[in-house]
Amino acid sequence: MPPAHQLNNPAKIAVIGSYVPRRCGIATFSADLLDAMSNASPDTELWAVAMNDIPLGYDYPSEVQFEIGQRTVADYRSAVDFLNMNGVDAVSLQHEFGIYGGKAGSNVVRLLQNLRMAVVTTLHTVLEEPDKDQEQVIRAIGSLSDRVVVMSARAAHILRKVYGVAPGRIAIIPHGVPGMPFLDSSYHKEEYGMIGKKVILTFGLMSRGKGYEYVIDALPKIVKAHPDAIFDHVDHRRLKRGAQIGDVPRAQRGDGFRRIADRSFQPGQ
């Protein structure tokens, strides 16, 4: 049976996902989301349930009321009991395959199957060509969530076409960015050895379907017209930068996207 919980004016909401100070894009998103909800609804009690990728976890702020070891099945059962027994009205689940244990992060399904409150799941990655395990997990999340939030119309289309999620269960909420002042980039260019470069910057999890292959294949023409151009990718999970594109075999950067991660690209070498 599909979920049929009420989503109006919940008094207590729990956000489940990785959480600061863990260095992870989802952690930052979860904290920003909780902060935004607090500003929009000061009378709502807001908790965080943090996913741990290391045994001892992190030095979390006070809003983190429970921690789950991503590979520890018993922690998922305990989290269900904790949320159900403490009168949580709604859960906001942040989903990325890498932060939950099991095949393709399937442990998250154990969590959702037994929650007794409204569940709104935000999908941070929607794969158009998932493997079997990934497809099963997203289909299960779609059936167990009262709403599934994606950040683009394209992602909503994929959810309907590939995963069979009912249109009425899908909500599109663009990602957005924090309001920040526009500053002179020279300071940071000097810090990262990019003085005199025109920087094309992207960040986040690298995966198929995001269009990186088009940028990489276009770089020789870009550099011919702009020899000082550089394409830089920052993996928000690790905050690393690495090798130049000349260090990456052509087979890995042409003829469609394969596995390239944590690298800074400068073609023409």
Side-chain angles (χ1 to χ4, degrees), residues 46-246:
L46 296 165
W47 291 355
V49 175
M51 300 302 305
N52 286 331
D53 60 339
I54 56 176
L56 297 180
Y58 298 86
D59 184 15
Y60 289 115
S62 60
E63 64 264 27
V64 174
Q65 296 290 306
F66 199 89
E67 300 175 36
I68 300 174
Q70 66 182 48
R71 298 177 185 85
T72 307
V73 173
D75 284 1
Y76 291 84
R77 293 195 293 263
S78 298
V80 168
D81 292 339
F82 175 81
L83 293 168
N84 286 341
M85 292 190 308
N86 280 281
V88 172
D89 299 302
V91 157
S92 172
L93 179 83
Q94 306 307 309
H95 179 267
E96 182 64 83
F97 290 105
I99 66 172
Y100 300 100
K103 278 190 176 182
S106 59
N107 284 352
V108 72
V109 178
R110 298 172 182 268
L111 182 72
L112 296 179
Q113 284 174 332
N114 296 295
L115 291 176
R116 297 199 296 263
M117 69 289 294
V119 174
V120 177
T121 297
T122 301
L123 299 178
H124 291 263
T125 296
V126 181
L127 301 173
E128 191 166 11
E129 298 180 4
D131 62 32
K132 181 180 178 181
D133 294 320
Q134 291 167 336
E135 181 178 351
Q136 287 178 343
V137 168
I138 298 301
R139 283 183 175 272
I141 289 173
S143 67
L144 294 168
S145 301
D146 295 271
R147 292 290 185 277
V148 179
V149 177
V150 292
M151 300 175 192
S152 68
R154 178 63 180 169
H157 171 75
I158 294 171
L159 271 189
R160 296 190 299 269
K161 178 182 176 183
V162 177
Y163 302 96
V165 178
R169 197 170 288 184
I170 300 171
I172 301 172
I173 303 176
H175 191 293
V177 295
M180 300 179 69
F182 184 80
L183 303 175
D184 185 349
S185 62
S186 299
Y187 172 81
H188 294 291
K189 282 187 174 183
E190 183 176 5
E191 183 181 5
Y192 290 103
M194 295 181 179
I195 288 291
K197 299 293 185 182
K198 292 185 175 75
V199 181
I200 305 167
L201 180 67
T202 184
F203 65 92
L205 177 66
M206 272 194 164
S207 63
R208 293 178 182 273
K210 292 188 175 181
Y212 289 112
E213 67 271 29
Y214 302 117
V215 179
I216 292 169
D217 286 342
L219 281 174
K221 291 183 179 179
I222 293 172
V223 166
K224 187 175 181 179
H226 303 276
D228 54 353
I230 184 170
F231 174 46
D232 191 65
H233 171 261
V234 178
D235 188 325
H236 203 76
R237 298 166 301 162
R238 302 184 182 88
L239 299 181
K240 291 182 180 177
R241 296 176 56 252
Q244 302 298 314
I245 198 168

